Amino acid sequence: MNLKWFVFVFLCFIGQSSEETDEVKIGAIFSFGSTNGKVAKIAMEAAVQDVNSDPSLVGGRKLALTLHDSNYSGFLGIIGALQFMETDTVAVIGPQSSVIAHVLSHLVNQLHVPLLSFTALDPTLSPLQYPYFIQTAPNDLFLMTAVADMISYFQYREVVVIFSDDDQGKNSITALGDKLAERRCKISYKAILPPQPISSHDLIVDQLVKVTSMESRVIVLHTLSITGLKVFEIAHDLGMMTSEYVWIATSWLSSTLDSTSVSPKVATSIQGALTLRSHTPDSSKKRAFYSRWNKLSNGSIALNVYGLYAYDTVWMIAHALKEFFDHGGKITFSNDSNLNSTAGKTMNLAALSIFDGGNQLLSNILKTNMTGVSGPIAFNPDRSMPRPSFDVLNVAGKGLMRQIGYWCNYSGLSVVPPESLYAKPANRSSSTQRLDQVIWPGQTTKRPRGWIFPDNGRPLRIGVPRRVSYKAFVSEEEGSGVVHGYSIDVFHAALKCLPYPVPHKFIMFGDGHKNPSYSQLVNMITVDVFDAAVGDITIVTNRTKILDFSQPYADSGLVVVVHVKKIRSIAWAFLRPFTPVTWGVIAAFCLVVGTVVWILEHKFNDEFRGPPKKQMVTILWFSFSTIFGSPRENTVSTLGRIVLLIWLFVILIITSSYTASLTSFLTVQQLSSSIQGIESLVTSNDAIGYQVGSFAENYLFEEVNIAKSRLVPLGSPEEYADALEQGRVAAVVDERPYVDLFLSTYCGFQKVGPEFTKSGWGFAFPRDSPLAIDMSTAILQLSENGELEKIRKKWLNRKVCGGQSSAADSEQLPLKSFWGLFLISGVTCCFALLVYFCLMLHQFKQHFPELTLSSTSRTRISHSVRLKKFLSYADEKAEISANRLKRKRMEMENP
């Protein structure tokens, strides 16, 4: 802002003109010594010539283009703009730099002169702040979105950026950082170069040397073309164009290679780089313009995409002027009242005048809807170009570029031209993103890893806990310094799955007298003492806040261990398998089933008939004899057999469960305390043991709110056993893998209750470490191919000490374990009784029709009489009922 007002000191020009002429003046501000400046100059002059060839296009007037060479200088660019403002210029094309655009935008806002640029593409040049500034090419927000999509597509997570320290460079890189964050990537280092077109060799070397010390090998280069080519040359000399590097240059590289030929040295230095170019669809206009170009340029320079935008920008102004004149607009200027106070002084600022028709011309430009050599041209409401897209290019040998795909804001990366995708639904899912094969630096088609180990690939310093107990997980051989164990074997197996070597050395952590604190071990990574930690390290919430962990290679969780003893068998031990309620329901169902079968069989089966006392005995005998198998009484009715069959199936399940449970009660060791799990531990006041160095101490204190005075540190399995047997602790809380190993060695102990935490063991790495991701993939591979299980069996496959089991195995079987079986049996009994009652009622009506028709007879029969008669019929033997019915029918036939 200070620069803008500073230049006013140099204003010594006077006069203004409000008279209309046959020419409409437009200006252009570029560094015409640059590649894009040279191409833009030729393209704009050709466009003016084409516009002026049709006098009717601009209301019978001609465009007069005035060129001003800023020569890479922001000051000269501002001076040129001020000169245009004094000479009745209605529109200005440029500037080339966003630095100048920020300053000039304030000027054109005040004087209402539209400023159009296709190279000053800073994404922060907001139309709300600068309404008279118009970007006629996709701004760098879309360019950086495309770069972020490419980085995500190749599965890189960190990048280094090298950029020029100016407005466009800084703001574009800020936009890149935002887009990378949306894709869970980030910029790990920023190397800043001076904004001058030619940075010193030593300064570039210093920055690149710093880049080589970074872990990331993915480099985004966003700078001026002259500086960018020098960066590539020096990078090649420093050995930074090898197969371990990824270089992504923004659109400056494609425009340079499109327009100029480079030396063999430069061509070699840029081989394998990726770059982007604004996509312009093929059309007859574009082909015609390309065919004219050699004549227009006299072979001095080749056409690039900015030449197309320059040509179209002039035509946009021409169409807007035509609309302006067609609606009666006139080219007039008026004094700015804010500058009148300076008239007559040494600096005649009043020479700057306001374009009266500027607002209308701006509106006409924003309403542009035409097809130019660069394709369809229009503006969205936010003034961005609709459907921005880029060609994705790979620099091959001799500085030639090969296209490997496209990017468009509509659907991301694709090998299909963007214009053919717009007719389809938008789809930016990762499965649809695709590019053709890339030839990377070093002439390889194998995708670079994109990162190296810190400090230029020195061996990783891996912290390993020096355990004094449970050495099957990790331990160091005395004298040799060799580290081995379950965790170490998993780590080595995972390294073999990686497509690259991982130089490393193990550094033991701990004094060797007690197990080290695992929290201190992982904290050593955050202070750069270790580069990683390997061992039986539990993945817990507090640790994941400061570190990245691999995929868990072993499941874990806290469990409770108690001391157990044999309970002597008692006289009533046979009742223990079932709860009292279960016994009661079984007895009740036996009686119910016996009664139901008696009802169904009584009329037809002599074994279920007789005196009342005999029938009661039969019911009781039949009911409980079913428990021991099929009863001696035969069932003859279909319904009775169905009920008995279902009940015998229920009894089979119940007796099998009883046998198994009774066996368990008579042989399994039982608890010697009231501790049933973590809940009973919390409510008691008993002492609790934990393993030294484990996270169990913090968990019990912070999460379960157990007082520290109740927590007793134990250093080894021997201490576990002694403390539990002597009663110094009521229980020990430790992770399941340790407990399983403990129970395989020591008898008389048992897990109680379920695991009350769910976690796992993994390897710890610094935040955002790419090695953590690759190791996770390797561990998943080991799990899928069975190698992980083989390692576990090698170190940990030990049988549990005889007689050990969970307390849950010896619990009494509750009613809910069998309610489904009882439900089936009950429904069957009810259904059989319902069918039987319906059959009896039907037969009763046949035998005694006079009773069922009493409502129409002369003599009314009471309900009690009919009920007694029905019960008598139901109790009557089936043969007697059949004979009586037979006699009645004979009497009716022979009256």
Side-chain angles (χ1 to χ4, degrees):
M1 183 66 70
N2 293 335
L3 181 61
K4 182 192 75 169
W5 297 113
F6 175 77
V7 297
F8 289 163
V9 177
F10 297 93
L11 292 175
C12 300
F13 303 97
I14 62 171
Q16 75 176 65
S17 174
S18 58
E19 301 177 0
E20 292 195 47
T21 65
D22 291 336
E23 291 185 342
V24 180
K25 297 179 181 179
I26 61 174
I29 304 173
F30 278 88
S31 296
F32 292 116
S34 67
T35 299
N36 290 339
K38 293 176 183 178
V39 173
K41 178 177 182 295
I42 298 171
M44 289 186 293
E45 289 176 341
V48 169
Q49 183 180 357
D50 292 344
V51 170
N52 290 339
S53 65
D54 183 0
S56 64
L57 189 61
V58 193
R61 299 168 177 79
K62 291 188 177 182
L63 291 181
L65 175 65
T66 304
L67 303 174
H68 178 82
D69 188 357
S70 60
N71 195 27
Y72 301 102
S73 169
F75 180 78
L76 293 180
I78 295 170
I79 292 298
L82 293 170
Q83 290 175 345
F84 288 147
M85 299 301 106
E86 297 172 348
T87 55
D88 299 346
T89 301
V90 299
V92 177
I93 302 174
Q96 190 167 343
S97 165
S98 293
V99 177
I100 308 175
H102 275 277
V103 178
L104 296 188
S105 294
H106 290 281
L107 180 64
V108 297
N109 282 355
Q110 185 68 27
L111 302 180
H112 297 181
V113 177
L115 182 66
L116 300 86
S117 180
F118 47 85
T119 53
L121 303 176
D122 184 347
T124 66
L125 285 166
S126 166
L128 296 176
Q129 186 178 7
Y130 307 117
Y132 279 84
F133 178 75
I134 306 169
Q135 292 172 330
T136 60
N139 72 35
D140 282 355
L141 176 63
F142 301 107
L143 176 65
M144 295 304 164
T145 304
V147 172
D149 275 345
M150 291 169 61
I151 292 168
S152 177
Y153 171 78
F154 290 116
Q155 301 178 1
Y156 299 126
R157 290 292 173 263
E158 294 186 13
V159 300
V160 172
V161 294
I162 304 174
F163 64 97
S164 296
D165 189 20
D166 57 21
D167 288 349
Q168 184 162 345
K170 291 185 291 187
N171 294 332
S172 297
I173 294 304
T174 299
L176 174 61
D178 293 340
K179 293 301 178 181
L180 287 173
E182 292 175 5
R183 292 153 179 80
R184 302 183 67 183
C185 309
K186 71 173 188 176
I187 297 173
S188 60
Y189 181 73
K190 297 179 180 179
I192 303 174
L193 300 176
Q196 290 77 17
I198 302 179
S199 297
S200 69
H201 180 277
D202 292 342
L203 180 59
I204 295 176
V205 170
D206 290 342
Q207 290 295 333
L208 290 181
V209 168
K210 292 178 181 178
V211 170
T212 60
S213 66
M214 297 297 111
E215 186 174 338
S216 175
R217 285 295 186 259
V218 182
I219 302 172
V220 176
L221 182 57
H222 183 61
T223 184
L224 300 175
S225 58
I226 297 176
T227 304
L229 293 178
K230 180 169 286 191
V231 169
F232 271 118
E233 286 189 62
I234 297 173
H236 183 267
D237 294 339
L238 293 176
M240 298 176 65
M241 297 304 298
T242 60
S243 57
E244 70 178 24
Y245 283 88
V246 176
W247 286 83
I248 302 176
T250 52
S251 54
W252 66 266
L253 180 57
S254 62
S255 63
T256 300
L257 296 180
D258 280 335
S259 295
T260 61
S261 57
V262 294
S263 66
K265 182 179 180 181
V266 172
T268 301
S269 68
I270 61 177
Q271 185 279 318
L274 298 175
T275 185
L276 293 153
R277 175 176 58 205
S278 288
H279 175 71
T280 54
D282 187 35
S283 65
S284 57
K285 286 186 176 182
K286 179 179 175 181
R287 290 193 297 270
F289 191 61
Y290 263 95
S291 65
R292 294 174 53 197
W293 183 259
N294 193 50
K295 181 178 179 181
L296 293 172
S297 63
N298 293 320
S300 61
I301 194 168
L303 177 62
N304 65 29
V305 69
Y306 293 106
L308 302 179
Y309 286 130
Y311 184 85
D312 284 343
T313 299
V314 173
W315 274 96
M316 289 170 60
I317 296 173
H319 284 293
L321 286 170
K322 182 179 185 303
E323 185 74 12
F324 178 79
F325 290 126
D326 288 347
H327 286 79
K330 294 183 179 181
I331 305 296
T332 60
F333 293 82
S334 59
N335 293 330
D336 187 345
S337 58
N338 295 323
L339 298 177
N340 287 341
S341 60
T342 64
K345 296 182 180 180
T346 304
M347 293 184 302
N348 192 3
L349 298 180
L352 303 176
S353 53
I354 297 174
F355 175 30
D356 297 327
N359 189 52
Q360 183 58 48
L361 182 61
L362 173 66
S363 178
N364 292 344
I365 293 173
L366 295 177
K367 293 178 182 177
T368 298
N369 189 1
M370 57 177 270
T371 300
V373 294
S374 63
I377 301 172
F379 291 97
N380 292 323
D382 62 354
R383 297 195 186 182
S384 64
M385 303 296 289
R387 297 178 175 177
S389 55
F390 294 90
D391 299 332
V392 183
L393 307 166
N394 181 206
V395 181
K398 299 181 180 179
L400 300 177
M401 294 182 293
R402 49 185 288 269
Q403 186 154 348
I404 59 172
Y406 305 88
W407 177 92
C408 68
N409 201 39
Y410 183 74
S411 58
L413 297 169
S414 172
V415 294
V416 180
E419 49 269 20
S420 63
L421 295 174
Y422 295 131
K424 303 176 182 178
N427 186 355
R428 290 184 62 89
S429 66
S430 58
S431 61
T432 63
Q433 306 298 292
R434 184 186 166 195
L435 292 174
D436 286 336
Q437 190 176 63
V438 178
I439 300 176
W440 301 97
Q443 296 286 349
T444 178
T445 57
K446 181 181 179 181
R447 182 181 71 87
R449 186 172 68 199
W451 60 275
I452 64 165
F453 299 106
D455 293 343
N456 250 339
R458 63 162 171 75
L460 289 182
R461 301 162 300 173
I462 298 180
V464 178
R466 180 180 276 114
R467 296 195 59 89
V468 296
S469 62
Y470 297 115
K471 293 187 176 183
F473 297 106
V474 57
S475 63
E476 181 186 27
E477 289 186 7
E478 295 184 7
S480 67
V482 176
V483 183
H484 56 76
Y486 169 59
S487 300
I488 302 301
D489 279 8
V490 172
F491 179 73
H492 283 147
L495 291 184
K496 292 178 181 178
C497 296
L498 301 181
Y500 50 85
V502 180
H504 63 277
K505 61 179 180 179
F506 292 127
I507 302 175
M508 304 306 294
F509 177 76
D511 58 13
H513 300 295
K514 63 179 180 180
N515 291 332
S517 167
Y518 281 60
S519 295
Q520 293 180 8
L521 170 61
V522 297
N523 284 334
M524 291 294 185
I525 300 175
T526 64
V527 296
D528 199 32
V529 174
F530 296 138
D531 299 313
V534 170
D536 46 338
I537 303 171
T538 307
I539 304 172
V540 294
T541 304
N542 289 339
R543 295 171 184 173
T544 59
K545 293 178 180 178
I546 58 174
L547 299 167
D548 280 351
F549 282 87
S550 67
Q551 175 81 11
Y553 63 86
D555 294 330
S556 181
L558 292 178
V559 295
V560 178
V561 180
V562 297
H563 181 45
V564 296
K565 66 179 182 180
K566 287 277 190 178
I567 291 182
R568 290 180 302 170
S569 297
I570 58 176
W572 301 101
F574 67 91
L575 294 177
R576 292 180 59 84
F578 295 148
T579 62
V581 174
T582 305
W583 279 118
V585 172
I586 292 173
F589 258 84
C590 285
L591 292 173
V592 169
V593 171
T595 303
V596 170
V597 172
W598 176 84
I599 293 172
L600 298 176
E601 294 289 323
H602 177 70
K603 191 172 181 65
F604 311 99
N605 193 338
D606 290 338
E607 295 186 22
F608 288 85
R609 298 186 65 81
K613 183 178 180 181
K614 178 185 177 183
Q615 294 185 48
M616 289 297 296
V617 172
T618 299
I619 292 173
L620 293 173
W621 168 256
F622 184 87
S623 298
F624 292 100
S625 64
T626 56
I627 297 177
F628 308 101
S630 179
R632 69 181 184 181
E633 290 82 4
N634 294 321
T635 51
V636 297
S637 67
T638 302
L639 292 175
R641 290 176 176 177
I642 292 174
V643 170
L644 183 60
L645 178 65
I646 297 298
W647 178 242
L648 289 177
F649 172 73
V650 173
I651 287 297
L652 175 65
I653 302 300
I654 291 175
T655 53
S656 299
S657 302
Y658 174 83
T659 303
S661 183
L662 181 61
T663 303
S664 175
F665 272 106
L666 295 177
T667 58
V668 172
Q669 299 180 101
Q670 301 301 310
L671 297 181
S672 63
S673 72
S674 60
I675 302 301
Q676 299 293 323
I678 187 62
E679 293 83 3
S680 53
L681 265 182
V682 172
T683 56
S684 72
N685 293 317
D686 298 327
I688 304 170
Y690 68 90
Q691 183 184 171
V692 174
S694 168
F695 83 99
E697 178 187 13
N698 288 337
Y699 182 87
L700 293 173
F701 175 68
E702 297 175 0
E703 302 295 333
V704 189
N705 297 320
I706 293 177
K708 279 199 173 183
S709 59
R710 294 176 55 193
L711 302 179
V712 179
L714 303 172
S716 66
E718 294 82 3
E719 289 189 41
Y720 282 21
D722 292 343
L724 287 169
E725 289 175 345
Q726 297 170 10
R728 289 190 288 116
V729 297
V732 170
V733 174
D734 207 347
E735 295 182 71
R736 179 166 50 79
Y738 301 127
V739 170
D740 290 342
L741 204 58
F742 171 74
L743 295 179
S744 70
T745 307
Y746 294 88
C747 296
F749 304 93
Q750 178 173 290
K751 291 185 289 186
V752 294
E755 288 186 27
F756 55 93
T757 66
K758 294 292 183 182
S759 58
W761 289 351
F763 306 133
F765 300 92
R767 293 288 284 178
D768 301 317
S769 170
L771 184 57
I773 298 174
D774 290 349
M775 288 295 285
S776 294
T777 304
I779 290 172
L780 287 175
Q781 184 178 339
L782 292 175
S783 177
E784 291 171 357
N785 62 23
E787 188 65 25
L788 204 58
E789 180 64 16
K790 292 179 182 178
I791 298 173
R792 189 194 68 80
K793 289 181 177 180
K794 172 185 174 182
W795 290 96
L796 309 177
N797 192 28
R798 301 184 185 181
K799 294 183 179 180
V800 176
C801 181
Q804 300 280 16
S805 73
S806 170
D809 295 336
S810 56
E811 291 180 353
Q812 290 181 308
L813 296 174
L815 177 61
K816 64 181 180 180
S817 301
F818 306 104
W819 74 268
L821 294 171
F822 289 129
L823 178 63
I824 294 172
S825 180
V827 170
T828 303
C829 290
C830 293
F831 176 74
L833 287 176
L834 179 62
V835 173
Y836 179 76
F837 176 77
C838 293
L839 290 174
M840 286 297 100
L841 187 60
H842 176 70
Q843 294 174 7
F844 179 71
K845 290 179 180 180
Q846 290 181 328
H847 284 267
F848 302 100
E850 67 280 4
L851 295 179
T852 59
L853 300 174
S854 61
S855 60
T856 58
S857 62
R858 294 180 180 179
T859 305
R860 184 174 298 276
I861 301 174
S862 66
H863 290 293
S864 60
V865 172
R866 282 186 291 173
L867 179 59
K868 290 180 180 179
K869 198 67 175 178
F870 177 75
L871 294 176
S872 175
Y873 170 76
D875 184 60
E876 189 178 59
K877 194 173 181 180
E879 289 83 353
I880 298 175
S881 300
N883 291 334
R884 183 175 59 250
L885 179 62
K886 184 176 181 181
R887 288 196 304 270
K888 282 188 177 183
R889 289 178 176 175
M890 291 178 63
E891 290 174 358
M892 292 177 64
E893 293 175 357
N894 302 304

PDB file of all heavy atoms in Angstrom, residues 679-695:
ATOM      1  N   GLU A 679     -15.490 -54.832  38.791  1.00  0.00           N
ATOM      2  CA  GLU A 679     -16.532 -54.142  39.558  1.00  0.00           C
ATOM      3  C   GLU A 679     -16.396 -54.423  41.051  1.00  0.00           C
ATOM      4  O   GLU A 679     -16.464 -53.508  41.882  1.00  0.00           O
ATOM      5  CB  GLU A 679     -17.923 -54.551  39.072  1.00  0.00           C
ATOM      6  CG  GLU A 679     -18.267 -54.089  37.664  1.00  0.00           C
ATOM      7  CD  GLU A 679     -17.713 -55.010  36.610  1.00  0.00           C
ATOM      8  OE1 GLU A 679     -17.112 -56.044  36.979  1.00  0.00           O
ATOM      9  OE2 GLU A 679     -17.883 -54.698  35.398  1.00  0.00           O
ATOM     10  N   SER A 680     -16.207 -55.688  41.400  1.00  0.00           N
ATOM     11  CA  SER A 680     -16.069 -56.020  42.816  1.00  0.00           C
ATOM     12  C   SER A 680     -14.757 -55.496  43.388  1.00  0.00           C
ATOM     13  O   SER A 680     -14.662 -55.187  44.581  1.00  0.00           O
ATOM     14  CB  SER A 680     -16.165 -57.535  43.020  1.00  0.00           C
ATOM     15  OG  SER A 680     -15.244 -58.217  42.181  1.00  0.00           O
ATOM     16  N   LEU A 681     -13.718 -55.360  42.550  1.00  0.00           N
ATOM     17  CA  LEU A 681     -12.477 -54.761  43.023  1.00  0.00           C
ATOM     18  C   LEU A 681     -12.679 -53.300  43.383  1.00  0.00           C
ATOM     19  O   LEU A 681     -12.157 -52.809  44.402  1.00  0.00           O
ATOM     20  CB  LEU A 681     -11.394 -54.872  41.939  1.00  0.00           C
ATOM     21  CG  LEU A 681     -10.431 -56.059  41.997  1.00  0.00           C
ATOM     22  CD1 LEU A 681      -9.418 -55.962  40.874  1.00  0.00           C
ATOM     23  CD2 LEU A 681      -9.729 -56.145  43.338  1.00  0.00           C
ATOM     24  N   VAL A 682     -13.415 -52.584  42.565  1.00  0.00           N
ATOM     25  CA  VAL A 682     -13.634 -51.155  42.792  1.00  0.00           C
ATOM     26  C   VAL A 682     -14.385 -50.929  44.100  1.00  0.00           C
ATOM     27  O   VAL A 682     -14.070 -50.014  44.870  1.00  0.00           O
ATOM     28  CB  VAL A 682     -14.398 -50.534  41.600  1.00  0.00           C
ATOM     29  CG1 VAL A 682     -14.797 -49.093  41.907  1.00  0.00           C
ATOM     30  CG2 VAL A 682     -13.548 -50.584  40.336  1.00  0.00           C
ATOM     31  N   THR A 683     -15.394 -51.763  44.365  1.00  0.00           N
ATOM     32  CA  THR A 683     -16.222 -51.565  45.560  1.00  0.00           C
ATOM     33  C   THR A 683     -15.560 -52.061  46.840  1.00  0.00           C
ATOM     34  O   THR A 683     -16.005 -51.730  47.929  1.00  0.00           O
ATOM     35  CB  THR A 683     -17.570 -52.289  45.383  1.00  0.00           C
ATOM     36  OG1 THR A 683     -17.340 -53.674  45.109  1.00  0.00           O
ATOM     37  CG2 THR A 683     -18.340 -51.679  44.216  1.00  0.00           C
ATOM     38  N   SER A 684     -14.491 -52.859  46.717  1.00  0.00           N
ATOM     39  CA  SER A 684     -13.806 -53.368  47.908  1.00  0.00           C
ATOM     40  C   SER A 684     -12.712 -52.402  48.334  1.00  0.00           C
ATOM     41  O   SER A 684     -12.459 -51.385  47.686  1.00  0.00           O
ATOM     42  CB  SER A 684     -13.197 -54.738  47.614  1.00  0.00           C
ATOM     43  OG  SER A 684     -12.072 -54.606  46.749  1.00  0.00           O
ATOM     44  N   ASN A 685     -12.067 -52.704  49.423  1.00  0.00           N
ATOM     45  CA  ASN A 685     -10.922 -51.918  49.896  1.00  0.00           C
ATOM     46  C   ASN A 685      -9.631 -52.719  49.846  1.00  0.00           C
ATOM     47  O   ASN A 685      -8.653 -52.383  50.512  1.00  0.00           O
ATOM     48  CB  ASN A 685     -11.178 -51.435  51.332  1.00  0.00           C
ATOM     49  CG  ASN A 685     -12.306 -50.423  51.395  1.00  0.00           C
ATOM     50  OD1 ASN A 685     -12.382 -49.524  50.556  1.00  0.00           O
ATOM     51  ND2 ASN A 685     -13.183 -50.562  52.391  1.00  0.00           N
ATOM     52  N   ASP A 686      -9.630 -53.815  49.077  1.00  0.00           N
ATOM     53  CA  ASP A 686      -8.482 -54.705  49.023  1.00  0.00           C
ATOM     54  C   ASP A 686      -7.345 -54.103  48.216  1.00  0.00           C
ATOM     55  O   ASP A 686      -7.553 -53.260  47.324  1.00  0.00           O
ATOM     56  CB  ASP A 686      -8.886 -56.046  48.415  1.00  0.00           C
ATOM     57  CG  ASP A 686      -9.941 -56.756  49.256  1.00  0.00           C
ATOM     58  OD1 ASP A 686      -9.906 -56.595  50.480  1.00  0.00           O
ATOM     59  OD2 ASP A 686     -10.798 -57.450  48.661  1.00  0.00           O
ATOM     60  N   ALA A 687      -6.140 -54.566  48.491  1.00  0.00           N
ATOM     61  CA  ALA A 687      -4.968 -54.142  47.725  1.00  0.00           C
ATOM     62  C   ALA A 687      -4.972 -54.813  46.353  1.00  0.00           C
ATOM     63  O   ALA A 687      -5.429 -55.951  46.204  1.00  0.00           O
ATOM     64  CB  ALA A 687      -3.697 -54.497  48.484  1.00  0.00           C
ATOM     65  N   ILE A 688      -4.453 -54.092  45.373  1.00  0.00           N
ATOM     66  CA  ILE A 688      -4.450 -54.576  43.987  1.00  0.00           C
ATOM     67  C   ILE A 688      -3.021 -54.500  43.457  1.00  0.00           C
ATOM     68  O   ILE A 688      -2.366 -53.458  43.554  1.00  0.00           O
ATOM     69  CB  ILE A 688      -5.373 -53.726  43.100  1.00  0.00           C
ATOM     70  CG1 ILE A 688      -6.795 -53.705  43.674  1.00  0.00           C
ATOM     71  CG2 ILE A 688      -5.369 -54.233  41.660  1.00  0.00           C
ATOM     72  CD1 ILE A 688      -7.701 -52.703  42.990  1.00  0.00           C
ATOM     73  N   GLY A 689      -2.535 -55.567  42.883  1.00  0.00           N
ATOM     74  CA  GLY A 689      -1.205 -55.588  42.298  1.00  0.00           C
ATOM     75  C   GLY A 689      -1.228 -55.220  40.828  1.00  0.00           C
ATOM     76  O   GLY A 689      -2.217 -55.444  40.126  1.00  0.00           O
ATOM     77  N   TYR A 690      -0.125 -54.639  40.352  1.00  0.00           N
ATOM     78  CA  TYR A 690       0.018 -54.303  38.935  1.00  0.00           C
ATOM     79  C   TYR A 690       1.482 -54.450  38.543  1.00  0.00           C
ATOM     80  O   TYR A 690       2.370 -54.433  39.401  1.00  0.00           O
ATOM     81  CB  TYR A 690      -0.473 -52.885  38.644  1.00  0.00           C
ATOM     82  CG  TYR A 690       0.394 -51.797  39.253  1.00  0.00           C
ATOM     83  CD1 TYR A 690       1.468 -51.250  38.549  1.00  0.00           C
ATOM     84  CD2 TYR A 690       0.144 -51.325  40.539  1.00  0.00           C
ATOM     85  CE1 TYR A 690       2.272 -50.272  39.110  1.00  0.00           C
ATOM     86  CE2 TYR A 690       0.940 -50.355  41.116  1.00  0.00           C
ATOM     87  CZ  TYR A 690       1.998 -49.827  40.385  1.00  0.00           C
ATOM     88  OH  TYR A 690       2.796 -48.857  40.950  1.00  0.00           O
ATOM     89  N   GLN A 691       1.732 -54.591  37.241  1.00  0.00           N
ATOM     90  CA  GLN A 691       3.098 -54.784  36.759  1.00  0.00           C
ATOM     91  C   GLN A 691       3.830 -53.447  36.686  1.00  0.00           C
ATOM     92  O   GLN A 691       3.302 -52.469  36.144  1.00  0.00           O
ATOM     93  CB  GLN A 691       3.084 -55.441  35.372  1.00  0.00           C
ATOM     94  CG  GLN A 691       4.468 -55.730  34.848  1.00  0.00           C
ATOM     95  CD  GLN A 691       4.460 -56.283  33.433  1.00  0.00           C
ATOM     96  OE1 GLN A 691       5.486 -56.421  32.801  1.00  0.00           O
ATOM     97  NE2 GLN A 691       3.296 -56.622  32.914  1.00  0.00           N
ATOM     98  N   VAL A 692       5.036 -53.403  37.193  1.00  0.00           N
ATOM     99  CA  VAL A 692       5.853 -52.193  37.140  1.00  0.00           C
ATOM    100  C   VAL A 692       6.072 -51.787  35.682  1.00  0.00           C
ATOM    101  O   VAL A 692       6.406 -52.619  34.836  1.00  0.00           O
ATOM    102  CB  VAL A 692       7.209 -52.419  37.832  1.00  0.00           C
ATOM    103  CG1 VAL A 692       8.112 -51.197  37.646  1.00  0.00           C
ATOM    104  CG2 VAL A 692       7.002 -52.694  39.310  1.00  0.00           C
ATOM    105  N   GLY A 693       5.880 -50.494  35.380  1.00  0.00           N
ATOM    106  CA  GLY A 693       6.090 -49.979  34.032  1.00  0.00           C
ATOM    107  C   GLY A 693       4.858 -50.032  33.156  1.00  0.00           C
ATOM    108  O   GLY A 693       4.819 -49.399  32.099  1.00  0.00           O
ATOM    109  N   SER A 694       3.847 -50.777  33.578  1.00  0.00           N
ATOM    110  CA  SER A 694       2.633 -50.925  32.775  1.00  0.00           C
ATOM    111  C   SER A 694       1.749 -49.686  32.887  1.00  0.00           C
ATOM    112  O   SER A 694       1.829 -48.933  33.865  1.00  0.00           O
ATOM    113  CB  SER A 694       1.869 -52.176  33.218  1.00  0.00           C
ATOM    114  OG  SER A 694       0.576 -52.205  32.657  1.00  0.00           O
ATOM    115  N   PHE A 695       0.886 -49.517  31.905  1.00  0.00           N
ATOM    116  CA  PHE A 695      -0.069 -48.415  31.953  1.00  0.00           C
ATOM    117  C   PHE A 695      -1.223 -48.716  32.908  1.00  0.00           C
ATOM    118  O   PHE A 695      -2.070 -47.863  33.160  1.00  0.00           O
ATOM    119  CB  PHE A 695      -0.624 -48.126  30.557  1.00  0.00           C
ATOM    120  CG  PHE A 695      -1.766 -49.005  30.136  1.00  0.00           C
ATOM    121  CD1 PHE A 695      -3.080 -48.568  30.222  1.00  0.00           C
ATOM    122  CD2 PHE A 695      -1.535 -50.290  29.653  1.00  0.00           C
ATOM    123  CE1 PHE A 695      -4.131 -49.376  29.835  1.00  0.00           C
ATOM    124  CE2 PHE A 695      -2.569 -51.100  29.269  1.00  0.00           C
ATOM    125  CZ  PHE A 695      -3.876 -50.639  29.351  1.00  0.00           C
TER     126      PHE A 695
END
